[in-house]
Amino acid sequence: MKKVIENSLEKGISYDQYRDLVSDLLKDQKSTGPKQSEALYNYSLLNDRRMKRLDKTSKLTESTVENVKKINQPQTWLVLTEGWCGDAAQNLPVLSKMANENDNVDLKLVLRDENLELMDEFLTNGGRSIPKLIALDEEKNVLFTWGPRPSVATKMIADYKEANGVVDAKVKEDLQRWYNKDKGVNVQEDIISLLSN
């Protein structure tokens, strides 16, 4: 697995490079990934706007800043993502702000569909769900993983699916409303909890 991780790390890009990549593809009416469709393009367009807004408006809690600053050993936060993924758009701006609080944290993003070997090492319930954060130490050992959603959102989707048998448009709208209300706090809590384990 270390070789797979190293191969993906070599392709890793910064959050700013990822934002530029998504924006540049949109100019050509494209999304990230090998599959192209009007739907994926529209999701990417919406997510690009969402990330622009969240880059400006999302704030870290004092507790988050305090805890991230305590990281005293180099870590790489390797995140599998795609521009069309709604959960990625909601969480990446917050993860980026967290990583920016400490020089010991290096955030690297890779596209899922270009890194399926890595993705398949970190499935969620058997699925290639993203975003998926893989925190690594200097020797490329996995410290923890997180994703594809904050814990409260994960429970919300699981409960809905259990009650209704599907994840449909209604719960996706509920999820977006939840993200807007939560303002990135739950993802911060999740990561801080993982850091302190």
Side-chain angles (χ1 to χ4, degrees):
M1 182 167 66
K2 264 195 186 162
K3 190 77 192 133
V4 173
I5 288 170
E6 284 167 6
N7 288 343
S8 291
L9 279 172
E10 284 173 19
K11 297 184 234 171
I13 58 175
S14 71
Y15 178 70
D16 290 339
Q17 289 170 315
Y18 173 76
R19 296 287 292 110
D20 290 343
L21 172 67
V22 171
S23 296
D24 289 346
L25 284 168
L26 286 170
K27 290 174 192 161
D28 295 327
Q29 299 198 326
K30 289 183 177 174
S31 66
T32 61
K35 292 184 186 139
Q36 298 294 318
S37 70
E38 191 174 341
L40 290 175
Y41 165 73
N42 288 330
Y43 292 140
S44 297
L45 197 58
L46 177 65
N47 289 335
D48 188 53
R49 288 190 201 120
R50 212 173 252 152
M51 286 189 286
K52 273 186 191 135
R53 178 174 48 83
L54 292 169
D55 285 339
K56 287 181 191 147
T57 62
S58 62
K59 303 246 186 301
L60 300 180
T61 67
E62 281 180 38
S63 170
T64 296
V65 173
E66 195 179 297
N67 280 286
V68 170
K69 286 192 183 299
K70 287 180 188 170
I71 298 169
N72 58 9
Q73 297 291 319
Q75 293 184 8
T76 300
W77 291 2
L78 179 60
V79 182
L80 288 146
T81 186
E82 291 286 350
W84 43 258
C85 175
D87 290 302
Q90 293 285 3
N91 292 295
L92 288 178
V94 179
L95 293 173
S96 173
K97 286 185 180 194
M98 290 177 76
N100 286 340
E101 287 295 326
N102 190 324
D103 289 341
N104 280 320
V105 180
D106 185 19
L107 180 66
K108 292 274 180 218
L109 307 179
V110 292
L111 298 178
R112 180 194 73 176
D113 293 344
E114 291 177 8
N115 293 274
L116 292 177
E117 206 177 346
L118 179 69
M119 181 76 257
D120 289 345
E121 294 285 344
F122 297 95
L123 301 175
T124 303
N125 302 322
R128 291 173 169 169
S129 303
I130 52 173
K132 190 68 163 192
L133 182 155
I134 305 151
L136 305 162
D137 67 14
E138 278 186 290
E139 280 77 47
K140 316 286 185 287
N141 296 307
V142 178
L143 297 168
F144 63 85
T145 65
W146 175 90
R149 292 185 185 101
S151 53
V152 173
T154 298
K155 183 175 179 348
M156 186 175 119
I157 295 292
D159 290 351
Y160 187 91
K161 191 174 181 182
E162 190 175 317
N164 300 283
V166 293
V167 174
D168 58 18
K170 183 201 176 308
V171 75
K172 287 180 183 174
E173 284 174 28
D174 292 346
L175 180 63
Q176 289 312 315
R177 274 195 288 279
W178 177 84
Y179 272 125
N180 290 340
K181 250 173 75 176
D182 179 70
K183 299 188 183 327
V185 171
N186 190 210
V187 63
Q188 295 175 53
E189 293 167 343
D190 285 354
I191 300 295
I192 295 310
S193 163
L194 289 163
L195 283 170
S196 57
N197 283 343

